[in-house]
Amino acid sequence: MAISKIMHMNSEKNRNPAQHLQNALEYIQNPDKTEKLLFVGSVNCPPKTAFEQMMNTKKMFQKTDKRQGYHIVLALKPGEGTPEIAYDMAKRFTEEFLGDRYEAVYAVHVDKDHIHSHIVWNSVSFIDGKKYDYKKGDWKHVIQPITNKLCREYGLSVIEAEYVKNSQNLSRKEWQFEQTFKEMIYRDAMFCASYAGSMEHFLFLMQRLGYEFKPKEYLTVKMPRRKLYHRLDKMDEYFAEGRFKYCFEYSSMHIPHFYSTDPTWKKRSNMSPYQKKFYGKLYRLRMIEQKRFYVASAKYAKDLMLFHKLQEEYLFLANNNIRTIEELLEIRESKQNRIDEITKIQDTIYKQNSSKKRACKTDGDWRVYQKWHIDEYNKLDKLKVEKKEAKGMVAMAEHCLAEKLDTAIDLILEDEEIDSTNKVKIPEFVAEKVVEADVMVMDSYLESNQLFEKKPVEMDPLFCEQIQQSVEEEPVVYTEPLPDSFNDYSLLSVEEKVKLYQMTGKEDTYLMVEVYFKRIGHPIYCGEVYDEAKELEIAYKSSLVDEQAEIIAVQMLVDGISPESYSLLSVASKTKYFEFDMTDNNYNLNLYKEVMRKMNQKMSSSELFEGYQEIYEAKMMRRAGGMQEKKWDRSR
């Protein structure tokens, strides 16, 4: 198999703009890596003078700045292929991908366990001077498919990495975001390993935290809701296959790491209901880390990693005495207006500076100008500081408005107390019974390490029940006949697709689309399936909003509530008409807005927020009351 990746080379500042391009060409033609240049070739230029010829092309079309070139790597699987095959593949790939428009050099490196080739080409075409334009999706739809086609022709195995659900074909921004969780994975693995007495016990603890193990691969884990798998032995030699088995013989209880801080020291007297929402989330996240093995804390990794941001948002509200959404909107608007005012003052001073400077003719004029310049620029310095502070407050207000405040709201009860000792309760493990979901992971490990006996694993009843439910769940797929060709399918509107799929909101939309694409023989591109599934979900939510809003508005009219009398209803009376989705605040708000539109209620944005918030809070209080009552019943 061969995996490709593409990189670009921008111009270098403060020296030769094409330095990166020159370095890349020199690197790929290293004699020590290419069997004395035996496996070096080129298209539309000689390899030795490729850089000079590329620069002449840039100068001829006056395009010597910005992006200088591109670099593709084609890596074969260790043990597969030969240098000759890799060289021929690189040559054919370059000719097919670039055609006869760009100067390019390709070379095969044989100094590593896996044979791999490099292709570097000029960003400017020597035919017409047009720059190569890499578009989003080219890797997925053009580069890797060519690589896979060549692999099949040479009898190499093909990895359909871009066609599977857990594709690693991520944008750089997505990839960098995924990497931020490696430290949390490592900390959790070390903590579990320090308490585990065996490999079975270690897997049990990691799964209780919510981690997923990749079948048939040694200690390769993924966080829930994330895309990338990570091998623990690559994070630390402690987890190496030949070493980790001996670590269980020595107990070394690690201190649990907390990303959250104890919120009880923070300002929490005389909080408004809106401030309590932020404080409540702070409290819940702290409890999640203390009960990490009982609530599968890895699911909340993103919230925990951003705990510091949530803390700043809460302190921003508390320190500025912002008690409602309306006050938050007002302060955001007032600070934005002040930013606009400062910008106008700055523009005026800059324009005056230019005109006064041009008007200076004599030494006296210059002295007057310099005095004015010093006074005005002192004023500008103060304005810049004020503008920076105002921008910070506007940004913080935006973050507060976007914060999802119902995270784990049904998971932690408000009367649960934080343990000030920072202790974490470790679940009991008895190696007597086995849970089906662990079999593949354990068998993979045990087959590769005969020093371990296959010992069954026991999980607590609640966790077993969750596992069993996930195993028994059947994927929800379409039941209505859909077109037998992708061309006919693409002609359907998104609304028609939603109806044909008979969506209910409970199905795995990605899997549903993937199953259909496989049925009609359409290539399963991860990005395409994801985009299609996302579009279907948005359309379904939109249709659901329209449908539910119509039902609510009609019910109100049937109950004798006219558009004029709606505003006279109590909050409790309004609450009974709305069924909110506690996991989707955006859907709730859109539903409320649509009902208000159908009821001909003309409101400003702040009034809509206020009306929605009142109903949402009333429903949450009622729900919390029901939970407390159930808890009391159980205690009896």
Side-chain angles (χ1 to χ4, degrees), residues 387-401:
K387 187 176 182 179
K388 184 178 180 179
E389 291 176 352
K391 282 186 174 180
M393 293 189 74
V394 169
M396 189 59 71
E398 294 286 357
H399 292 157
C400 290
L401 289 169

Side-chain angles (χ1 to χ4, degrees), residues 147-165:
T147 306
N148 286 345
K149 182 186 72 172
L150 293 173
C151 283
R152 292 188 183 97
E153 291 184 16
Y154 287 99
L156 304 176
S157 58
V158 176
I159 178 170
E160 306 284 1
E162 71 278 24
Y163 303 149
V164 298
K165 183 173 182 179

Side-chain angles (χ1 to χ4, degrees), residues 493-525:
S493 67
V494 66
E495 291 78 14
E496 291 173 324
K497 293 175 184 177
V498 168
K499 291 180 180 178
L500 290 175
Y501 278 116
Q502 289 192 347
M503 292 181 65
T504 64
K506 297 180 180 179
E507 59 275 297
D508 183 335
T509 316
Y510 186 103
L511 179 61
M512 181 179 72
V513 174
E514 186 180 47
V515 169
Y516 170 64
F517 279 9
K518 284 181 179 177
R519 197 202 79 180
I520 62 176
H522 184 68
I524 311 298
Y525 298 112

Side-chain angles (χ1 to χ4, degrees), residues 274 316-317 320-338 393-394 397-398 401 604-607 609-610:
Y274 185 58
F316 169 74
L317 297 176
N320 291 279
N321 197 28
I322 300 171
R323 303 180 65 80
T324 64
I325 290 182
E326 291 71 29
E327 291 179 5
L328 185 62
L329 293 170
E330 287 172 5
I331 198 168
R332 181 187 66 171
E333 186 176 357
S334 66
K335 292 300 178 182
Q336 187 60 57
N337 291 338
R338 182 54 182 161
M393 293 189 74
V394 169
E398 294 286 357
L401 289 169
S604 63
S605 297
S606 60
E607 288 173 333
F609 267 115
E610 183 179 2

Side-chain angles (χ1 to χ4, degrees), residues 123-315:
S123 61
V124 180
S125 169
F126 68 92
I127 300 294
D128 53 16
K130 289 185 177 179
K131 280 200 166 185
Y132 176 82
D133 182 21
Y134 178 81
K135 299 182 180 65
K136 185 177 181 180
D138 281 359
W139 181 90
K140 182 166 48 181
H141 300 301
V142 181
I143 296 174
Q144 187 63 31
I146 294 176
T147 306
N148 286 345
K149 182 186 72 172
L150 293 173
C151 283
R152 292 188 183 97
E153 291 184 16
Y154 287 99
L156 304 176
S157 58
V158 176
I159 178 170
E160 306 284 1
E162 71 278 24
Y163 303 149
V164 298
K165 183 173 182 179
N166 291 317
S167 169
Q168 294 186 16
N169 177 25
L170 308 176
S171 68
R172 185 167 185 81
K173 185 176 180 181
E174 290 175 316
W175 184 85
Q176 288 175 336
F177 178 70
E178 290 275 345
Q179 299 308 304
T180 61
F181 296 101
K182 288 180 71 174
E183 181 66 22
M184 180 178 283
I185 295 172
Y186 172 71
R187 288 181 186 275
D188 284 345
M190 289 297 293
F191 182 61
C192 291
S194 72
Y195 278 88
S198 64
M199 175 59 74
E200 298 97 322
H201 193 181
F202 173 74
L203 294 175
F204 165 75
L205 292 175
M206 287 291 286
Q207 288 173 328
R208 284 294 296 263
L209 289 177
Y211 287 102
E212 303 169 19
F213 283 87
K214 193 171 186 178
K216 300 182 180 179
E217 287 199 21
Y218 173 75
L219 293 186
T220 305
V221 302
K222 179 172 75 74
M223 274 188 165
R225 304 172 186 170
R226 304 268 68 85
K227 295 181 180 180
L228 293 184
Y229 279 93
H230 302 273
R231 281 194 60 150
L232 296 181
D233 56 344
K234 289 186 177 180
M235 294 184 183
D236 195 314
E237 291 183 358
Y238 179 83
F239 296 101
E241 193 165 357
R243 178 181 177 182
F244 188 43
K245 59 191 177 186
Y246 299 111
C247 296
F248 300 120
E249 298 176 11
Y250 307 98
S251 61
S252 56
M253 301 306 180
H254 277 232
I255 298 174
H257 181 80
F258 282 83
Y259 291 86
S260 61
T261 57
D262 187 345
T264 55
W265 64 269
K266 295 181 176 64
K267 178 183 180 301
R268 55 196 181 105
S269 60
N270 193 29
M271 287 188 293
S272 70
Y274 185 58
Q275 291 171 340
K276 284 180 181 178
K277 289 178 179 294
F278 284 82
Y279 184 83
K281 184 173 178 179
L282 290 170
Y283 200 94
R284 291 195 299 275
L285 291 179
R286 183 63 174 179
M287 289 297 300
I288 282 171
E289 290 208 281
Q290 290 193 333
K291 300 173 62 177
R292 59 187 66 185
F293 288 102
Y294 296 89
V295 296
S297 63
K299 289 190 296 186
Y300 305 97
K302 183 178 178 181
D303 294 292
L304 292 169
M305 294 290 283
L306 297 176
F307 183 88
H308 65 283
K309 183 175 80 71
L310 176 65
Q311 179 176 274
E312 290 170 359
E313 290 166 2
Y314 171 72
L315 293 176

